[in-house]
Amino acid sequence: MRHATWRVDGQEYKLRLGVSDSMNLEKRLGRNPMDLLMGIQEGKLPTLTASLAVIQASMTKFQHGITAQDVIRIYERYLDAGNSYTDLLPVIMEVFEVSGFFKSDPVLDTAENEALEEPENDLIL
């Protein structure tokens, strides 16, 4: 089963929204989770409350019984480890992708991977 991974202070948390998780998240947010996703893609930062709600909802499939308070404590450890709120946004985007909200663009993925694999040219003076 595909999942995103959130690494916090040496511990890995598997993340994925199931259908009932997505429905519960929609009720909790009072809007379609896709609205949050579209906002991120447009460069708009979601509220911390909404972001942590996504994280909690996506943790329930693998970490049964995880509470909002548990997620807040984990997030505080995440910040203490030197991460920032904006570091969490790619994790949320990956959660939406692996949960079937959208497919990644294989052309972009291939281009990004090729760019990463290209050797750097050394300057000769």
Side-chain angles (χ1 to χ4, degrees):
M1 176 182 300
R2 292 183 60 202
H3 65 274
T5 302
W6 185 30
R7 290 172 184 83
V8 180
D9 198 26
Q11 189 166 356
E12 292 188 353
Y13 298 95
K14 292 180 181 180
L15 310 172
R16 181 187 172 101
L17 290 166
V19 174
S20 68
D21 302 321
S22 297
M23 292 170 64
N24 289 334
L25 179 61
E26 185 174 301
K27 287 178 190 174
R28 187 170 174 191
L29 295 175
R31 61 185 174 151
N32 185 334
M34 285 295 292
D35 293 341
L36 181 75
L37 171 65
M38 298 306 288
I40 293 171
Q41 290 179 330
E42 293 171 3
K44 298 176 186 172
L45 292 177
T47 65
L48 178 60
T49 302
S51 296
L52 294 183
V54 170
I55 295 295
Q56 181 191 3
S58 65
M59 288 178 86
T60 60
K61 184 171 256 350
F62 299 102
Q63 285 83 219
H64 303 287
I66 190 97
T67 67
Q69 201 59 41
D70 294 332
V71 173
I72 289 169
R73 281 191 286 274
I74 295 167
Y75 180 68
E76 287 174 348
R77 287 189 2 245
Y78 184 70
L79 295 176
D80 288 343
N83 296 290
S84 70
Y85 174 66
T86 56
D87 294 328
L88 187 61
L89 297 179
V91 175
I92 292 171
M93 292 292 290
E94 187 179 1
V95 166
F96 282 122
E97 181 191 348
V98 300
S99 301
F101 282 80
F102 69 95
K103 291 182 181 180
S104 63
D105 187 342
V107 173
L108 290 178
D109 287 347
T110 301
E112 288 174 2
N113 288 338
E114 286 173 0
L116 291 175
E117 292 172 6
E118 288 181 15
E120 292 184 21
N121 292 330
D122 292 330
L123 292 176
I124 300 174
L125 301 176

